[in-house]
Amino acid sequence: ILVFRRTPWGQRVFRFYDPDKYIVEIGEIVETVIIRSYKQGDSIDEIVQKTSMSREFVEATIKILSTNSVNC
């Protein structure tokens, strides 16, 4: 398969077959999606709606980003 795609909520994923012919999907963690969306200018409300994550989770993720902004 080896399909790279972006989900409607912005997560980057890809799929492949394992040696036993099962489909495996690998995706980035939702915190990465939230941070990327925030850096691209999406509001907290837009991120909550797009990701279906709670407002508290999105705000906490963004707070961690701003706390560690030296490396971002």
Side-chain angles (χ1 to χ4, degrees), residues 22-63:
Y22 289 97
I23 296 173
V24 178
E25 181 174 86
I26 305 292
E28 63 188 346
I29 60 174
V30 72
E31 290 87 345
T32 301
V33 176
I34 291 169
I35 290 168
R36 184 175 51 251
S37 295
Y38 186 71
K39 284 183 172 183
Q40 291 175 346
D42 290 349
S43 70
I44 290 174
D45 289 332
E46 290 170 324
I47 297 168
V48 167
Q49 184 176 10
K50 181 167 60 172
T51 63
S52 298
M53 295 288 113
S54 71
R55 183 176 188 85
E56 294 78 18
F57 182 79
V58 171
E59 288 174 341
T61 301
I62 292 168
K63 184 177 180 181

